[in-house]
């Protein structure tokens, strides 16, 4: 019975099992840095906190409360972007998205222009030394709005759906992902991180990476349960055969 | 040839079979349990802001005037005594929005109240203690931390970073099982972080070979069970 079960299970999940092992082996062999996609990434320098003229925290809260009387603010963070102060407002629960990004002087939502997005992308990019020596300048594409289904970097709590991609014509074909509503660099990806994406897709059987990595989907759940059964049946057969061999030897 | 393949498959299974069983078991646990549940999202509820908010006499402007090198300024309204928190010369500071005075460290009672407000269950608090070093189940960078243990079946534990009073980790027994199985899965039994160990490489290569040989063995079984039987049945019918 166990032998039959083992053979049928091998027929069903033998190939996914092998894919798991090989992709796991690849993760083991590649170093984390090699596949991170952050080869050219540099953190943006911390800007000194500066407030707009006449700014009052109390008045700002009052104005926000008038705008959204039903929403309770839990946190207000001060930040800087393009030499302007920004406020990151966290709401507890509301009809609004849980986080809002506003310019501190006007309390209007941040919405970066294409020029500002490009400046942000360039600021997050560190050139290779060989490029500098050869005096080769990499070319940045115009920021392009990401399609609505691309939710990989979208936070459920955020109002921001205004995300862009800037492509860099460098050796690794770097792609810089930016958020037009938070003025943040979301990620750097490149051909090396694409390899990592393929390995993740194979290891988690999630081939639509645009919406982030999922590993609780039904296909992987069924495959993992059957693989566990495959391993158990194999162990039982192994144990029986071993027991028989020992008995024969005695 | 098939006999040799079977012998190799058997010997490899004998050597690394236990690890393959562990991988299957740990992998199944990881994908069958909801990751949001493991992260303990169901254990917390958001705390409503203090109403009415006290008048802000000491705001961001006053902080920057008194501490010109302050960074990461934030106003926190979801605690009993709202405050402004900021970084000043590698130190995290918390000052009152009423008078700008440094807030004293929270007491056991205050942390307990905060934890009770965060906790979505009904169990009582069993133990509260301030730990100078973070336990292995949370990141060391959070230390010192308040550890709040609840008296529920899953032994829920909340960790609050002392410097910021923020809830940094939620742990429960299902998370602990997940962590234990993860360590077994990547064969880093001590730290649970290194996936590049040579023994993992060796066992992965051996297991891949074992699985490949197992897949090869399907061929003679398929040929014998389905094709031979069908042929013999067909010849029986003809006869």
């Amino acid at each position: 019975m166990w032998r039959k079960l083992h053979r049928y299970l091998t027929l069903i999940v033998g190939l996914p099992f092998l894919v798991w092992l090989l992709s796991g082996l690849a993760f083991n062999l590649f170093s984390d840095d090699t596949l991170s996609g952050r080869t050219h990434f540099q953190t943006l320098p911390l800007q000194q906190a500066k407030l707009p003229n006449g700014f009052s925290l109390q008045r700002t809260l009052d104005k926000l409360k008038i705008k959204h009387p039903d929403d309770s603010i839990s946190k207000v963070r001060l930040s800087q972007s393009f030499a302007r102060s920004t406020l990151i407002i966290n709401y507890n629960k509301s009809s609004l998205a849980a986080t809002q990004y506003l310019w501190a002087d006007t309390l209007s939502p941040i919405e970066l222009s294409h020029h500002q997005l490009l400046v942000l992308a360039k600021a997050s990019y560190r050139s290779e030394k060989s490029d500098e020596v050869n005096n080769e300048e990499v070319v940045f594409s115009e920021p392009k709005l990401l399609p609505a289904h691309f939710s990989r970097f979208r936070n459920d709590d955020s109002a921001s759906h205004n995300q862009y991609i800037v492509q860099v014509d460098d050796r690794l074909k770097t792609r810089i992902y930016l958020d037009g509503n938070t003025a943040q660099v979301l990620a750097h990806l490149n051909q090396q991180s694409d390899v990592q994406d393929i390995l993740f897709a194979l290891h988690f059987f999630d081939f639509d990476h645009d919406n982030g990595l999922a590993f609780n989907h039904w296909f992987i759940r069924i495959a993992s349960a059957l693989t566990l059964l495959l391993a158990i049946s194999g162990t039982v057969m192994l144990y029986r055969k071993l027991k028989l061999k020992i008995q024969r030897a005695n | 040839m098939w006999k040799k393949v079977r012998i190799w498959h058997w010997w490899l299974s004998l050597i690394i079979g236990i690890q393959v069983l562990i991988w299957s078991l740990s992998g199944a646990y990881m994908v069958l349990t909801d990751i949001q549940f493991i992260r303990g999202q169901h254990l917390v509820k958001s705390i409503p802001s203090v109403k009415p908010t006290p008048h802000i006499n000491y705001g961001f402007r006053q902080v920057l005037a008194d501490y010109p090198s302050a960074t990461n300024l934030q106003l926190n309204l979801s605690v009993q005594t709202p405050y402004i928190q900021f970084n000043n010369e590698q130190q995290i500071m918390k000052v009152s929005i009423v008078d700008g005075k440094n807030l004293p460290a929270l007491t056991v009672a205050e942390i307990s109240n905060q934890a009770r407000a965060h906790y979505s269950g009904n169990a009582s608090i069993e133990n509260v203690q301030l730990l100078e070093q973070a336990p292995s189940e949370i990141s060391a960078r959070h230390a010192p931390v308040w550890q709040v243990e609840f008296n529920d079946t899953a032994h829920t534990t909340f960790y609050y970073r002392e410097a910021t009073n923020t809830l940094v980790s939620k742990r429960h027994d299902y998370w602990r099982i997940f962590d234990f199985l993860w360590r077994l899965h990547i064969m880093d039994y001590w730290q649970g972080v290194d996936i590049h160990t040579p023994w993992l490489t060796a066992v992965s290569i051996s297991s891949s070979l074992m699985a490949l040989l197992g897949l090869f063995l399907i061929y003679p079984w398929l040929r014998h069970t389905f094709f031979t039987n069908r042929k013999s049945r067909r010849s029986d019918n003809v006869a």
Side-chain angles (χ1 to χ4, degrees):
Chain A
M1 175 232 169
W2 286 105
R3 182 183 290 265
K4 209 170 188 178
L5 180 69
H6 193 69
R7 281 171 171 166
Y8 275 106
L9 286 169
T10 306
L11 196 63
I12 300 164
V13 287
L15 206 58
F17 180 52
L18 187 64
V19 168
W20 263 326
L21 290 169
L22 291 174
S23 53
L25 176 62
F27 277 125
N28 166 256
L29 293 175
F30 285 116
S31 76
D32 296 334
D33 291 339
T34 312
L35 304 180
S36 73
R38 293 163 70 94
T39 315
H40 293 287
F41 177 78
Q42 66 179 6
T43 48
L44 302 175
L46 194 65
Q47 293 178 27
Q48 186 65 36
K50 210 175 153 191
L51 285 166
N53 288 334
F55 178 86
S56 152
L57 193 52
Q58 182 65 61
R59 256 202 318 274
T60 302
L61 284 182
D62 293 342
K63 279 183 194 170
L64 288 169
K65 271 177 199 161
I66 292 167
K67 273 188 181 177
H68 313 289
D70 300 330
D71 306 302
S72 78
I73 296 167
S74 62
K75 209 174 263 181
V76 179
R77 283 176 283 162
L78 177 69
S79 188
Q80 299 288 313
S81 194
F82 295 96
R84 263 175 99 180
S85 300
T86 62
L87 295 175
I88 304 162
I89 318 282
N90 290 102
Y91 291 91
N92 268 327
K93 44 187 169 176
S94 59
S95 53
L96 284 169
T99 310
Q100 278 195 314
Y101 293 77
L102 310 172
W103 293 116
D105 45 8
T106 59
L107 293 187
S108 56
I110 297 171
E111 208 164 312
L112 296 189
S113 66
H114 278 206
H115 172 71
Q116 286 172 317
L117 286 164
L118 206 53
V119 170
L120 195 62
K122 285 178 180 174
S124 75
Y125 187 90
R126 190 185 61 233
S127 295
E128 262 177 311
K129 276 195 179 136
S130 58
D131 289 338
E132 284 169 11
V133 171
N134 298 333
N135 213 9
E136 284 176 22
E137 227 179 85
V138 287
V139 180
F140 291 76
S141 75
E142 273 294 304
K144 203 173 139 194
L145 188 67
L146 288 168
H149 73 268
F150 191 96
S151 57
R152 182 170 177 172
F153 305 115
R154 202 177 290 161
N155 184 347
D156 290 341
D157 286 349
S158 169
S160 171
H161 301 296
N162 207 11
Q163 299 183 337
Y164 291 83
I165 180 173
V166 170
Q167 286 175 317
V168 188
D169 188 25
D170 59 10
R171 190 174 53 84
L172 294 170
K173 302 287 172 214
T174 303
R175 306 184 302 276
I176 303 172
Y177 293 86
L178 307 151
D179 196 315
N181 289 134
T182 63
Q184 284 174 345
V185 179
L186 299 166
H188 274 212
L189 298 180
N190 59 27
Q191 286 177 341
Q192 289 175 337
S193 63
D194 290 343
V195 174
Q196 190 183 42
D197 280 355
I198 292 167
L199 292 179
F200 270 122
L202 292 172
H203 207 71
F204 295 99
F205 300 149
D206 180 9
F207 298 96
D208 183 14
H209 250 197
D210 286 358
N211 58 1
L213 190 69
F215 61 98
N216 287 131
H217 56 86
W218 64 269
F219 181 67
I220 199 169
R221 283 179 161 175
I222 293 170
S224 70
L226 292 177
T227 304
L228 179 58
L229 211 54
L230 175 74
I232 290 170
S233 58
T235 309
V236 171
M237 282 164 55
L238 199 66
Y239 171 74
R240 282 183 177 175
K241 200 166 181 179
L242 208 61
K243 201 174 151 189
L244 204 69
K245 272 187 189 273
I246 292 167
Q247 275 174 356
R248 274 186 196 156
N250 291 335
Chain B
M1 177 208 161
W2 295 116
K3 197 179 173 189
K4 268 188 182 170
V5 172
R6 192 167 289 120
I7 289 169
W8 271 99
H9 180 66
W10 193 84
W11 273 106
L12 283 169
S13 309
L14 194 67
I15 298 163
I16 41 94
I18 286 292
Q19 185 56 41
V20 173
L21 188 64
I22 289 171
W23 276 334
S24 311
L25 184 72
S26 52
Y29 182 83
M30 286 171 196
V31 298
L32 291 172
T33 49
D34 185 7
I35 191 65
Q36 300 303 335
F37 170 77
I38 293 297
R39 286 175 184 153
Q41 306 294 60
H42 64 291
L43 295 169
V44 288
K45 59 178 194 273
S46 62
I47 304 178
S49 303
V50 179
K51 280 184 179 177
T53 310
H55 188 82
I56 302 173
N57 298 320
Y58 193 86
F60 290 160
R61 188 169 293 286
Q62 288 78 8
V63 171
L64 289 174
D66 292 347
Y67 306 91
S69 57
T71 53
N72 292 334
L73 279 76
Q74 58 180 59
L75 167 70
N76 194 344
L77 296 170
S78 58
V79 283
Q80 272 308 312
T81 314
Y83 61 85
I84 292 174
Q85 179 189 306
F86 56 94
N87 293 26
N88 186 47
E89 289 163 2
Q90 295 183 337
Q91 201 186 353
I92 298 172
M93 296 189 70
K94 290 186 294 258
V95 293
S96 161
I97 60 169
V98 177
D99 54 15
K101 282 185 181 164
N102 280 327
L103 290 185
L106 289 191
T107 61
V108 171
E110 285 166 327
I111 277 291
S112 302
N113 284 339
Q114 200 171 315
R116 221 170 277 126
H118 271 137
Y119 182 57
S120 62
N122 300 318
S124 59
I125 290 175
E126 199 172 53
N127 187 35
V128 181
Q129 58 178 328
L130 182 64
L131 304 172
E132 287 303 319
Q133 285 187 333
S136 61
E137 63 181 17
I138 67 163
S139 170
R141 70 192 155 91
H142 295 310
V145 286
W146 283 101
Q147 183 188 54
V148 183
E149 292 171 314
F150 290 90
N151 189 18
D152 58 14
T153 48
H155 299 105
T156 300
T157 309
F158 284 177
Y159 290 96
Y160 290 88
R161 193 175 175 199
E162 201 216 7
T164 59
N165 301 338
T166 46
L167 178 62
V168 286
S169 295
K170 311 166 283 285
R171 298 290 180 249
H172 53 117
D173 284 349
Y174 300 97
W175 183 93
R176 292 179 186 109
I177 295 170
F178 190 100
D179 183 54
F180 174 70
L181 291 175
W182 168 251
R183 284 163 197 253
L184 296 182
H185 200 82
I186 64 166
M187 299 180 77
D188 180 6
Y189 310 104
W190 302 274
Q191 301 294 324
V193 288
D194 190 0
I195 61 165
H196 307 293
T197 51
W199 48 90
L200 182 59
T201 314
V203 178
S204 299
I205 292 171
S206 313
S207 313
S208 304
L209 199 63
M210 181 206 73
L212 200 64
L213 294 176
L215 271 173
F216 283 157
L217 286 173
I218 285 296
Y219 174 69
W221 171 67
L222 278 179
R223 201 180 52 179
H224 179 260
T225 312
F226 295 101
F227 300 107
T228 317
N229 286 0
R230 204 172 288 170
K231 262 185 194 172
S232 60
R233 252 182 269 136
R234 208 179 295 155
S235 57
D236 286 350
N237 288 343
V238 171

